Amino acid sequence: MDASRRDFLKAGCLGLMSVLLVGAPGCSQSAASSPKASSSSSQSPSATPESAADIDAREETTDRAAFAGSAAVVYFSATGNTASVADKVARATGGELREIVPQEPYAPADLDYNSDCRANAEQSDETARPAIAAPAPDVVAADVIYLGYPIWWGRAPRIVLTWLEGQDLAGKTIVPFCTSGSSGIGGSIPEVEAAAAGATVEDGMRFSSGATQQEVDSWVAGMA
């Protein structure tokens, strides 16, 4: 083999060794100092800041929990309007919903106020006390009772008086609320007071059938 060929092969071997020596540390350093690997192993996830909406929701849940065990929402609803508002009152207060169910349900014909209907006959009779289906709503453990009903001829339906007169309400607070197209709640309060012996009866509030949760929340908050 001539001298020029030996020199060429020698230079090639030396070049290959240089590549191997330089490349190996590079691979090791890349694996050891990879930003991705470093960040995943040395940094812990940061806590997500609590948003204003989360804080409001937590405080609202706390406020409602304060009513648990001390409030009840009792209602009578013949058409579903009062039931809808009662559900919103329960959401606002944390009180448990309890319905006054008539033993004989009211049919649409019973509520035709332009005729000699059942509702008219009951409201015209001071002694009428329609029967309640068993069991009647129990409020023994409640300190505050939100009492909902529709307004029939400016007054509470007689079945509401049936329920009130059958309860031991001494020392409790009753907060009436009603639904009606136009009549206020004021005309129903004296009868509620008379039937709720020993209880404190608040002035109450009238809602339309389309009352929103915000409207109900504002009312409840205003009584705190």
XYZ file of all heavy atoms in Angstrom, residues 102-206:
771
model
N -104.631 18.410 48.414
C -106.038 18.218 48.755
C -106.464 16.759 48.602
O -105.992 16.059 47.705
C -106.772 19.106 47.749
C -105.837 19.228 46.601
C -104.451 19.190 47.179
N -107.293 16.327 49.502
C -107.801 14.955 49.398
C -108.583 14.781 48.106
O -108.513 13.733 47.459
C -108.687 14.641 50.606
C -109.062 13.176 50.749
C -109.796 12.931 52.057
O -110.987 13.216 52.172
N -109.076 12.436 53.052
N -109.300 15.800 47.721
C -110.010 15.814 46.441
C -109.351 16.866 45.552
O -109.531 18.064 45.766
C -111.488 16.164 46.648
C -112.288 16.177 45.359
C -113.730 16.617 45.566
O -114.155 16.737 46.732
O -114.414 16.864 44.557
N -108.582 16.437 44.560
C -107.865 17.395 43.715
C -108.819 18.379 43.033
O -109.981 18.064 42.774
C -107.171 16.502 42.683
C -107.070 15.166 43.352
C -108.299 15.038 44.187
N -108.297 19.555 42.752
C -109.093 20.579 42.072
C -108.976 20.398 40.556
O -107.884 20.494 39.999
C -108.608 21.976 42.468
C -108.969 22.353 43.879
C -108.139 21.993 44.944
C -110.139 23.055 44.162
C -108.458 22.324 46.252
C -110.481 23.395 45.464
C -109.631 23.030 46.506
O -109.964 23.351 47.798
N -110.122 20.165 39.919
C -110.176 20.063 38.464
C -110.301 21.469 37.877
O -110.686 22.412 38.582
C -111.363 19.206 38.039
N -110.010 21.635 36.593
C -110.157 22.964 35.981
C -111.543 23.568 36.194
O -111.666 24.775 36.427
C -109.878 22.691 34.505
C -108.931 21.536 34.514
C -109.400 20.675 35.647
N -112.579 22.744 36.140
C -113.944 23.256 36.340
C -114.143 23.788 37.752
O -114.958 24.692 37.969
C -114.957 22.152 36.051
N -113.361 23.256 38.712
C -113.476 23.718 40.098
C -112.899 25.121 40.274
O -113.119 25.760 41.308
C -112.733 22.763 41.039
C -113.357 21.385 41.065
O -114.577 21.279 40.890
O -112.599 20.402 41.275
N -112.130 25.573 39.297
C -111.452 26.864 39.396
C -112.017 27.888 38.394
O -111.407 28.935 38.179
C -109.954 26.684 39.154
C -109.251 25.667 40.062
C -107.798 25.475 39.611
C -109.312 26.087 41.513
N -113.158 27.575 37.811
C -113.789 28.499 36.859
C -114.526 29.584 37.647
O -115.691 29.441 38.005
C -114.764 27.730 35.962
C -115.411 28.621 34.904
O -115.074 29.823 34.863
O -116.258 28.113 34.140
N -113.822 30.654 37.910
C -114.345 31.673 38.818
C -115.557 32.419 38.263
O -116.218 33.145 38.994
C -113.223 32.679 39.161
C -112.030 32.015 39.790
C -110.789 32.035 39.159
C -112.143 31.346 41.002
C -109.688 31.409 39.736
C -111.052 30.724 41.588
C -109.830 30.762 40.947
O -108.744 30.137 41.519
N -115.841 32.250 36.982
C -117.012 32.893 36.382
C -118.262 32.036 36.495
O -119.293 32.347 35.908
C -116.743 33.215 34.907
C -115.635 34.233 34.735
O -115.588 35.225 35.457
N -114.724 33.972 33.801
N -118.158 30.960 37.257
C -119.304 30.072 37.453
C -119.466 29.779 38.944
O -118.690 30.252 39.774
C -119.094 28.760 36.684
O -118.015 28.022 37.260
N -120.458 29.007 39.249
C -120.669 28.595 40.639
C -119.774 27.387 40.924
O -120.263 26.280 41.179
C -122.150 28.262 40.851
C -122.465 27.990 42.333
O -121.634 28.398 43.171
O -123.501 27.362 42.618
N -118.470 27.632 40.886
C -117.515 26.531 40.989
C -117.204 26.195 42.443
O -117.573 26.912 43.370
C -116.235 26.876 40.233
S -115.270 28.190 40.988
N -116.494 25.120 42.612
C -116.116 24.643 43.944
C -115.302 25.688 44.700
O -115.547 25.941 45.890
C -115.331 23.340 43.805
C -114.707 22.823 45.097
C -113.841 21.618 44.810
N -113.044 21.221 45.945
C -112.041 20.327 45.873
N -111.759 19.745 44.717
N -111.343 20.022 46.958
N -114.311 26.291 44.046
C -113.463 27.277 44.724
C -114.284 28.460 45.211
O -114.082 28.950 46.335
C -112.360 27.747 43.778
N -115.208 28.924 44.385
C -116.063 30.042 44.798
C -116.906 29.677 46.002
O -117.077 30.476 46.931
C -116.962 30.477 43.638
C -116.205 31.240 42.574
O -115.054 31.625 42.784
N -116.840 31.459 41.425
N -117.468 28.452 45.976
C -118.311 28.008 47.084
C -117.510 27.921 48.380
O -117.987 28.335 49.454
C -118.928 26.646 46.748
N -116.290 27.408 48.311
C -115.454 27.306 49.508
C -115.077 28.683 50.046
O -115.122 28.913 51.261
C -114.195 26.495 49.188
C -114.442 25.015 48.939
C -113.201 24.271 48.495
O -112.145 24.924 48.261
O -113.276 23.037 48.363
N -114.709 29.589 49.159
C -114.287 30.914 49.600
C -115.453 31.714 50.191
O -115.232 32.606 51.022
C -113.654 31.684 48.448
C -112.329 31.105 47.945
C -111.260 30.990 49.019
O -111.069 29.921 49.602
N -110.583 32.079 49.305
N -116.656 31.387 49.767
C -117.835 32.086 50.294
C -118.278 31.535 51.648
O -119.087 32.170 52.341
C -118.992 31.973 49.292
O -118.647 32.577 48.064
N -117.768 30.399 52.012
C -118.160 29.744 53.258
C -117.034 29.905 54.287
O -115.979 29.284 54.175
C -118.445 28.267 52.995
C -118.920 27.523 54.234
O -118.989 28.140 55.324
O -119.202 26.317 54.116
N -117.257 30.722 55.300
C -116.236 30.991 56.316
C -115.810 29.733 57.066
O -114.706 29.674 57.618
C -116.751 32.030 57.316
C -117.070 33.390 56.709
C -115.824 34.167 56.326
O -114.743 33.854 56.857
O -115.931 35.079 55.486
N -116.693 28.739 57.105
C -116.389 27.523 57.870
C -115.795 26.409 57.011
O -115.444 25.348 57.538
C -117.662 26.999 58.552
O -118.613 26.593 57.549
C -118.287 28.065 59.439
N -115.692 26.629 55.721
C -115.194 25.570 54.830
C -113.734 25.252 55.153
O -112.899 26.158 55.241
C -115.331 26.004 53.385
N -113.457 23.967 55.326
C -112.104 23.496 55.573
C -111.882 22.220 54.747
O -112.044 21.102 55.236
C -111.855 23.221 57.056
C -111.918 24.444 57.956
C -110.808 25.430 57.658
N -110.811 26.565 58.583
C -111.492 27.694 58.381
N -112.249 27.829 57.284
N -111.449 28.673 59.268
N -111.517 22.360 53.479
C -111.291 21.191 52.620
C -110.273 20.227 53.222
O -109.273 20.652 53.818
C -110.781 21.806 51.321
C -111.306 23.215 51.340
C -111.275 23.623 52.777
N -110.522 18.946 53.066
C -109.640 17.923 53.657
C -108.309 17.844 52.927
O -108.211 18.062 51.713
C -110.336 16.570 53.629
N -107.288 17.519 53.689
C -105.928 17.357 53.155
C -105.597 15.871 53.082
O -105.889 15.109 54.008
C -104.903 18.072 54.056
C -105.163 19.579 54.062
C -103.470 17.781 53.595
C -104.287 20.340 55.041
N -104.987 15.475 51.983
C -104.554 14.083 51.839
C -103.454 13.790 52.843
O -102.565 14.613 53.079
C -104.055 13.825 50.425
N -103.511 12.625 53.448
C -102.493 12.230 54.424
C -101.223 11.799 53.695
O -101.289 11.206 52.611
C -103.027 11.099 55.288
N -100.067 12.081 54.284
C -99.885 12.849 55.515
C -99.782 14.351 55.233
O -99.289 14.740 54.176
C -98.558 12.311 56.057
C -97.782 11.961 54.813
C -98.802 11.489 53.810
N -100.231 15.144 56.166
C -100.112 16.592 56.027
C -98.657 16.996 56.253
O -97.920 16.302 56.962
C -101.010 17.289 57.052
N -98.203 18.087 55.647
C -96.810 18.545 55.841
C -96.469 18.733 57.316
O -97.220 19.357 58.063
C -96.769 19.879 55.090
C -97.830 19.744 54.046
C -98.927 18.950 54.686
N -95.351 18.165 57.721
C -94.898 18.221 59.117
C -93.826 19.307 59.254
O -92.837 19.307 58.527
C -94.332 16.859 59.510
C -93.837 16.826 60.947
O -94.081 17.790 61.684
O -93.184 15.833 61.327
N -94.029 20.237 60.180
C -93.068 21.332 60.363
C -92.574 21.408 61.808
O -92.145 22.461 62.266
C -93.696 22.679 59.952
C -93.946 22.715 58.457
C -94.987 22.946 60.714
N -92.618 20.301 62.514
C -92.222 20.288 63.919
C -90.792 20.799 64.095
O -90.494 21.554 65.027
C -92.357 18.859 64.501
C -91.750 18.797 65.896
C -93.816 18.441 64.543
N -89.889 20.415 63.192
C -88.473 20.777 63.341
C -88.141 22.155 62.784
O -87.012 22.618 62.900
C -87.594 19.728 62.649
N -89.104 22.830 62.185
C -88.836 24.124 61.547
C -89.122 25.284 62.493
O -90.105 25.276 63.228
C -89.671 24.264 60.284
N -88.254 26.270 62.462
C -88.475 27.505 63.209
C -89.147 28.562 62.347
O -89.919 29.380 62.829
C -87.142 28.067 63.726
C -86.453 27.108 64.681
O -87.152 26.523 65.526
O -85.233 26.938 64.571
N -88.810 28.543 61.037
C -89.372 29.492 60.083
C -90.106 28.718 58.997
O -89.562 27.767 58.424
C -88.274 30.363 59.441
C -88.879 31.341 58.430
C -87.495 31.113 60.506
N -91.330 29.129 58.712
C -92.137 28.458 57.702
C -92.501 29.456 56.617
O -93.173 30.461 56.882
C -93.426 27.869 58.310
C -93.091 26.888 59.425
C -94.272 27.196 57.227
C -94.256 26.583 60.343
N -92.017 29.202 55.414
C -92.422 30.000 54.260
C -93.680 29.356 53.703
O -93.655 28.204 53.255
C -91.302 30.036 53.219
C -90.086 30.774 53.705
C -89.108 30.124 54.469
C -89.911 32.126 53.430
C -87.995 30.807 54.935
C -88.793 32.814 53.890
C -87.842 32.143 54.638
O -86.740 32.820 55.114
N -94.788 30.086 53.743
C -96.092 29.523 53.397
C -96.591 30.139 52.097
O -96.855 31.339 52.023
C -97.081 29.797 54.528
C -98.512 29.300 54.320
C -98.545 27.769 54.209
C -99.417 29.774 55.465
N -96.718 29.303 51.066
C -97.114 29.788 49.749
C -98.504 29.325 49.340
O -98.899 28.189 49.622
N -99.221 30.199 48.652
C -100.568 29.867 48.182
C -101.005 30.850 47.100
O -100.495 31.982 47.027
C -101.562 29.898 49.346
C -101.474 31.130 50.227
C -102.113 32.326 49.894
C -100.713 31.104 51.407
C -102.025 33.449 50.708
C -100.612 32.230 52.226
C -101.268 33.398 51.864
O -101.173 34.516 52.667
N -101.972 30.464 46.279
C -102.545 31.420 45.326
C -103.553 32.303 46.055
O -103.989 31.967 47.159
C -103.242 30.521 44.300
C -103.603 29.294 45.080
C -102.514 29.107 46.096
N -103.907 33.410 45.448
C -104.939 34.270 46.009
C -106.267 33.973 45.311
O -106.358 34.076 44.081
C -104.577 35.763 45.837
C -103.361 36.114 46.690
C -105.761 36.662 46.200
C -103.596 36.021 48.192
N -107.247 33.582 46.092
C -108.585 33.312 45.575
C -109.545 34.356 46.144
O -109.760 34.392 47.354
C -109.050 31.900 45.962
C -108.324 30.804 45.197
C -107.369 30.951 44.237
C -108.516 29.398 45.352
N -106.943 29.726 43.778
C -107.636 28.747 44.439
C -109.333 28.604 46.162
C -107.560 27.370 44.318
C -109.263 27.222 46.042
C -108.385 26.607 45.126
N -110.059 35.195 45.301
C -110.955 36.266 45.732
C -110.351 37.099 46.865
O -110.995 37.418 47.855
C -112.330 35.708 46.145
C -113.127 35.196 44.989
C -113.436 33.897 44.726
C -113.692 35.965 43.926
N -114.147 33.793 43.564
C -114.319 35.057 43.049
C -113.722 37.328 43.616
C -114.983 35.472 41.894
C -114.376 37.743 42.467
C -115.000 36.820 41.619
N -109.074 37.425 46.707
C -108.392 38.299 47.657
C -107.948 37.629 48.948
O -107.403 38.296 49.829
N -108.118 36.319 49.036
C -107.800 35.616 50.291
C -107.045 34.318 50.018
O -106.927 33.876 48.876
C -109.097 35.319 51.050
C -109.888 36.567 51.360
C -111.350 36.299 51.561
N -111.644 35.823 52.894
C -112.889 35.580 53.321
N -113.931 35.761 52.537
N -113.094 35.149 54.554
N -106.548 33.713 51.081
C -105.888 32.409 50.945
C -106.949 31.329 50.751
O -108.036 31.406 51.330
C -105.057 32.107 52.191
N -106.681 30.314 49.956
C -107.626 29.204 49.813
C -107.928 28.577 51.174
O -107.059 28.489 52.051
C -106.883 28.226 48.904
C -105.934 29.091 48.129
C -105.504 30.152 49.092
N -109.137 28.120 51.352
C -109.563 27.569 52.644
C -108.723 26.361 53.070
O -108.544 26.109 54.263
C -111.036 27.160 52.587
C -111.993 28.310 52.325
C -111.992 29.302 53.448
N -112.926 30.403 53.215
C -112.959 31.510 53.914
N -112.079 31.705 54.874
N -113.836 32.451 53.653
N -108.182 25.659 52.116
C -107.386 24.474 52.471
C -106.098 24.868 53.195
O -105.553 24.088 53.995
C -107.071 23.626 51.210
C -106.535 22.252 51.624
C -106.094 24.346 50.296
C -106.446 21.262 50.475
N -105.616 26.081 52.967
C -104.445 26.568 53.694
C -104.790 26.745 55.168
O -103.987 26.429 56.064
C -103.944 27.890 53.080
C -102.817 28.496 53.924
C -103.467 27.663 51.651
N -106.016 27.219 55.434
C -106.466 27.353 56.825
C -106.629 25.984 57.467
O -106.355 25.820 58.664
C -107.780 28.134 56.879
C -107.766 29.522 56.204
C -109.115 30.208 56.406
C -106.629 30.375 56.730
N -107.064 25.007 56.683
C -107.162 23.628 57.194
C -105.813 23.184 57.743
O -105.715 22.625 58.847
C -107.599 22.656 56.085
O -108.840 23.072 55.539
C -107.735 21.235 56.629
N -104.776 23.436 56.965
C -103.435 23.005 57.391
C -102.960 23.788 58.605
O -102.448 23.202 59.569
C -102.445 23.166 56.242
C -101.068 22.732 56.648
C -100.616 21.447 56.761
C -99.997 23.584 57.079
N -99.310 21.443 57.218
C -98.916 22.740 57.418
C -99.850 24.956 57.195
C -97.709 23.242 57.870
C -98.629 25.468 57.639
C -97.576 24.609 57.971
N -103.104 25.098 58.572
C -102.632 25.933 59.677
C -103.288 25.548 60.991
O -102.621 25.436 62.034
C -102.907 27.406 59.375
C -102.030 28.072 58.310
C -102.601 29.433 57.929
C -100.591 28.206 58.790
N -104.575 25.341 60.972
C -105.311 25.023 62.209
C -104.985 23.637 62.742
O -105.230 23.353 63.921
C -106.810 25.157 61.961
C -107.241 26.602 61.707
C -108.685 26.739 61.262
O -109.340 25.703 60.999
O -109.170 27.878 61.177
N -104.396 22.798 61.925
C -104.047 21.458 62.362
C -102.630 21.322 62.880
O -102.184 20.221 63.225
N -101.879 22.453 62.948
C -100.479 22.421 63.370
C -100.272 23.108 64.712
O -101.029 23.993 65.098
C -99.607 23.143 62.329
C -99.752 22.631 60.922
C -99.350 21.181 60.793
O -98.275 20.777 61.242
N -100.217 20.380 60.184
N -99.250 22.677 65.417
C -98.794 23.390 66.614
C -97.707 24.361 66.162
O -96.562 23.984 65.950
C -98.236 22.401 67.641
C -97.748 23.110 68.912
O -97.930 24.351 69.008
O -97.187 22.440 69.789
N -98.077 25.617 66.001
C -97.174 26.617 65.438
C -96.664 27.613 66.473
O -96.044 28.620 66.112
C -97.888 27.367 64.305
C -98.382 26.479 63.155
C -99.247 27.297 62.191
C -97.212 25.844 62.420
N -96.889 27.342 67.730
C -96.483 28.265 68.793
C -94.970 28.521 68.736
O -94.164 27.572 68.675
C -96.864 27.696 70.157
N -94.605 29.794 68.741
C -93.192 30.162 68.746
C -92.534 30.164 67.387
O -91.357 30.534 67.269
N -93.240 29.769 66.346
C -92.655 29.730 65.006
C -92.946 31.039 64.265
O -93.837 31.801 64.646
C -93.216 28.547 64.216
C -92.925 27.191 64.850
C -93.431 26.049 63.994
C -93.250 24.693 64.677
N -91.838 24.358 64.890
N -92.188 31.275 63.225
C -92.396 32.440 62.370
C -92.903 31.973 61.019
O -92.320 31.075 60.405
C -91.086 33.228 62.178
O -90.639 33.716 63.441
C -91.295 34.403 61.228
N -93.986 32.576 60.556
C -94.557 32.237 59.258
C -94.351 33.411 58.309
O -94.688 34.550 58.626
C -96.062 31.913 59.378
C -96.252 30.667 60.256
C -96.681 31.693 57.997
C -97.690 30.288 60.474
N -93.772 33.099 57.171
C -93.511 34.112 56.149
C -94.359 33.764 54.928
O -93.988 32.889 54.144
C -92.020 34.160 55.769
C -91.775 35.299 54.786
C -91.149 34.312 57.002
N -95.499 34.416 54.747
C -96.360 34.081 53.617
C -95.812 34.613 52.289
O -95.142 35.652 52.250
C -97.692 34.773 53.961
C -97.594 35.133 55.406
C -96.135 35.381 55.643
N -96.119 33.916 51.223
C -95.899 34.429 49.874
C -97.018 33.881 49.004
O -97.556 32.802 49.275
C -94.518 34.045 49.331
C -94.284 32.569 49.145
C -94.530 31.938 47.930
C -93.792 31.802 50.199
C -94.299 30.580 47.754
C -93.549 30.444 50.041
C -93.813 29.827 48.816
N -97.395 34.638 48.014
C -98.522 34.224 47.192
C -98.249 34.468 45.725
O -97.297 35.185 45.361
C -99.795 34.964 47.613
S -99.844 36.690 47.052
N -99.080 33.885 44.882
C -99.077 34.186 43.453
C -100.476 34.660 43.088
O -101.471 34.152 43.606
C -98.720 32.954 42.604
O -99.627 31.878 42.899
C -97.302 32.496 42.883
N -100.532 35.647 42.211
C -101.825 36.134 41.726
C -101.607 36.990 40.497
O -100.490 37.471 40.253
C -102.548 36.944 42.804
O -101.955 38.220 42.951
N -102.689 37.180 39.757
C -102.594 38.010 38.570
C -102.500 39.482 38.907
O -101.791 40.234 38.247
N -103.209 39.897 39.956
C -103.196 41.323 40.309
C -103.395 41.569 41.802
O -102.873 42.545 42.340
C -104.277 42.067 39.522
O -105.567 41.529 39.791
N -104.141 40.693 42.474
C -104.450 40.928 43.893
C -103.209 40.828 44.755
O -102.331 39.986 44.521
C -105.487 39.911 44.382
O -106.675 40.012 43.633
N -103.135 41.689 45.779
C -102.025 41.642 46.717
C -102.222 40.570 47.767
O -103.254 39.882 47.811
N -101.233 40.435 48.650
C -101.282 39.409 49.686
C -101.941 39.912 50.969
O -102.361 39.127 51.820
C -99.859 38.884 50.001
C -99.918 37.554 50.757
C -99.046 39.943 50.757
C -98.571 36.872 50.917
N -102.078 41.238 51.102
C -102.540 41.819 52.361
C -103.872 41.300 52.859
O -104.056 41.088 54.058
N -104.815 41.055 51.949
C -106.135 40.593 52.367
C -106.142 39.203 52.965
O -107.094 38.816 53.652
N -105.094 38.427 52.723
C -105.043 37.049 53.238
C -104.382 36.958 54.605
O -104.534 35.946 55.301
C -104.279 36.156 52.256
O -102.894 36.489 52.229
N -103.639 37.980 54.991
C -102.836 37.909 56.213
C -103.677 37.769 57.489
O -103.343 36.941 58.356
C -101.880 39.118 56.319
C -100.923 39.142 55.129
C -101.107 39.075 57.633
C -100.054 37.912 54.990
N -104.765 38.523 57.672
C -105.540 38.382 58.912
C -106.033 36.961 59.159
O -106.002 36.471 60.298
C -106.713 39.353 58.703
C -106.156 40.401 57.799
C -105.274 39.648 56.854
N -106.486 36.272 58.122
C -106.956 34.895 58.296
C -105.799 33.951 58.609
O -105.968 33.008 59.391
C -107.694 34.427 57.045
C -109.055 35.076 56.868
C -109.809 34.548 55.668
O -109.160 34.239 54.649
O -111.038 34.426 55.761
N -104.657 34.193 57.998
C -103.485 33.366 58.307
C -103.086 33.569 59.763
O -102.789 32.603 60.480
C -102.315 33.711 57.366
C -101.028 33.024 57.828
C -102.639 33.301 55.934
N -103.102 34.802 60.225
C -102.759 35.085 61.622
C -103.741 34.416 62.578
O -103.333 33.852 63.610
C -102.762 36.600 61.855
C -101.605 37.325 61.204
C -101.700 38.833 61.375
O -102.831 39.357 61.446
O -100.636 39.488 61.441
N -105.016 34.463 62.250
C -106.026 33.861 63.123
C -105.892 32.347 63.180
O -106.132 31.729 64.230
C -107.423 34.250 62.641
N -105.507 31.744 62.059
C -105.414 30.278 62.000
C -104.096 29.754 62.564
O -104.017 28.588 62.970
C -105.569 29.803 60.556
N -103.075 30.599 62.604
C -101.748 30.170 63.074
C -101.553 30.609 64.516
O -100.734 31.495 64.809
C -100.659 30.749 62.179
N -102.275 29.989 65.412
C -102.241 30.377 66.826
C -100.829 30.269 67.401
O -100.153 29.245 67.251
C -103.195 29.489 67.619
N -100.378 31.370 68.049
C -99.081 31.363 68.718
C -97.902 31.652 67.830
O -96.765 31.733 68.308
N -98.141 31.821 66.536
C -97.038 32.081 65.596
C -96.936 33.563 65.284
O -97.909 34.307 65.412
C -97.246 31.298 64.306
N -95.758 33.969 64.871
C -95.546 35.326 64.374
C -95.677 35.285 62.859
O -94.972 34.518 62.195
C -94.149 35.849 64.748
O -94.036 35.893 66.169
C -93.914 37.231 64.173
N -96.589 36.092 62.306
C -96.833 36.097 60.861
C -96.281 37.386 60.256
O -96.685 38.483 60.653
C -98.341 35.953 60.550
C -98.568 35.970 59.039
C -98.891 34.662 61.161
N -95.375 37.255 59.320
C -94.785 38.406 58.644
C -95.746 38.933 57.577
O -96.749 38.307 57.257
C -93.452 38.014 58.002
C -92.412 37.480 58.986
C -91.920 38.547 59.955
O -92.052 39.749 59.630
O -91.402 38.189 61.031
N -95.393 40.098 57.019
C -96.274 40.734 56.037
C -96.423 39.926 54.755
O -97.480 39.932 54.130
C -95.751 42.131 55.690
C -95.877 43.092 56.871
O -96.715 42.831 57.753
O -95.136 44.088 56.896
N -95.372 39.266 54.346
C -95.453 38.430 53.154
C -95.157 39.160 51.862
O -94.889 40.362 51.835
N -95.227 38.420 50.761
C -94.845 38.954 49.452
C -95.688 38.316 48.356
O -95.971 37.116 48.381
C -93.362 38.657 49.191
C -92.832 39.177 47.880
S -92.796 40.980 47.872
C -91.994 41.269 46.289
N -96.102 39.136 47.402
C -96.822 38.638 46.226
C -95.844 38.502 45.059
O -95.023 39.377 44.798
C -97.943 39.593 45.830
C -98.577 39.252 44.489
C -99.383 40.392 43.919
N -99.723 40.137 42.528
C -98.971 40.451 41.490
N -97.806 41.054 41.671
N -99.362 40.172 40.260
